[in-house]
């Protein structure tokens, strides 16, 4: 019986090799391939959904943080007065994130943030602390009133005296941007020259 079945199978396969062999291979190939494609698609869709969720959460957190109220802002300004440079950097970083429009920039100035940032820059002993202070000052600089407050706080001389860094090009970028902003608003003219010109 086995011999007869083997002969019939051989005869049938020889007579119709494409019809018989191909569906078997195609169906087994398809089964494995479909399963693998489904798993691959599920994995990719899963990662896509995770990325969308993470991106949405980041965007919401970034936009909600400025609305968290004056309490958070006051805490951020208070961090600038702590001796530990890590806390100072955290406070300056928060203020830089908060200062996204003129109203919020002026809140920072009213709470003493401009003066504390200038003090932080004076006391900074390392490049990372200088960079965060300059970054926060740069975030305040688009507001003309905030620039006036920075000028009164003595920011121009402090920014000019801040040492350049070979490691951080951002320090030089923030410095030159701030000094250009002061120059555009004509705050870089020394007060002695202004008083002399007004006397004559």
């Amino acid at each position: 019986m086995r011999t007869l079945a083997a002969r019939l199978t051989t005869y049938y396969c020889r007579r119709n090799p494409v019809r018989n062999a191909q569906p078997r291979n195609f169906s087994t190939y398809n089964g494995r391939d479909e399963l693998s494609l489904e798993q691959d698609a599920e994995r990719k869709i899963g990662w896509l959904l995770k990325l969308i969720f993470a991106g949405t959460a980041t965007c919401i957190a970034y936009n909600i943080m400025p609305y968290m109220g004056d309490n958070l802002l006051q805490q951020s300004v208070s961090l600038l007065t702590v001796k530990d440079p890590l806390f100072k950097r955290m406070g300056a970083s928060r203020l830089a994130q908060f200062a996204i429009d003129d109203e919020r920039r002026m809140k920072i100035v009213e709470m003493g943030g401009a003066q504390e940032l200038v003090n932080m820059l004076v006391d900074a002993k390392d490049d990372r602390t200088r960079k965060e202070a300059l970054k926060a000052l740069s975030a305040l600089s688009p507001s003309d009133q905030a620039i006036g407050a920075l000028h009164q706080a003595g920011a121009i001389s402090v920014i000019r005296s801040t040492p350049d860094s070979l490691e951080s090009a951002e320090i030089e970028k923030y410095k030159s941007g701030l000094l250009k902003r002061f120059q555009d608003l004509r705050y870089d003219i020394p007060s002695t020259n202004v008083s002399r010109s007004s006397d004559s």
Side-chain angles (χ1 to χ4, degrees), residues 32-200:
R32 272 189 248 136
D33 196 37
E34 281 181 19
L35 184 63
S36 139
L37 282 174
E38 282 180 22
Q39 289 173 344
D40 193 36
E42 285 177 11
R43 190 170 39 249
K44 286 179 181 176
I45 289 171
W47 276 108
L48 179 67
L49 290 175
K50 286 177 188 175
L51 286 172
I52 289 171
F53 175 75
T56 305
T58 303
C59 184
I60 289 171
Y62 185 79
N63 288 320
I64 284 181
M65 186 181 163
Y67 295 105
M68 292 181 104
D70 294 343
N71 191 26
L72 180 65
L73 183 57
Q74 188 60 52
Q75 287 175 355
S76 301
V77 172
S78 298
L79 283 174
L80 301 177
T81 61
V82 178
K83 289 186 178 181
D84 188 352
L86 174 65
F87 290 111
K88 288 187 177 195
R89 288 195 296 270
M90 287 169 53
S93 177
R94 282 184 185 177
L95 292 178
Q97 288 178 341
F98 190 86
I100 58 175
D101 61 28
D102 284 352
E103 182 183 338
R104 294 178 186 151
R105 290 180 188 114
M106 286 313 297
K107 270 189 179 178
I108 293 170
V109 170
E110 289 164 8
M111 291 186 172
Q115 183 65 56
E116 291 303 331
L117 284 168
V118 172
N119 295 343
M120 174 184 170
L121 190 56
V122 169
D123 298 336
K125 304 284 189 243
D126 61 284
D127 287 344
R128 287 187 301 169
T129 306
R130 287 186 198 102
K131 185 183 88 170
E132 288 300 329
L134 288 166
K135 181 179 175 183
L137 290 170
S138 292
L140 292 177
S141 70
S143 167
D144 292 350
Q145 292 176 320
I147 278 286
L150 290 173
H151 174 66
Q152 289 176 348
I156 296 175
S157 59
V158 172
I159 292 168
R160 281 188 181 140
S161 65
T162 301
D164 293 334
S165 170
L166 298 173
E167 296 174 8
S168 179
E170 287 178 290
I171 289 179
E172 185 58 36
K173 181 184 87 171
Y174 291 133
K175 272 179 64 174
S176 60
L178 283 164
L179 292 173
K180 184 180 182 319
R181 182 80 172 113
F182 281 117
Q183 188 176 20
D184 291 345
L185 295 175
R186 300 190 180 277
Y187 281 117
D188 63 333
I189 302 168
S191 57
T192 53
N193 291 349
V194 173
S195 62
R196 283 178 190 164
S197 63
S198 62
D199 289 343
S200 59

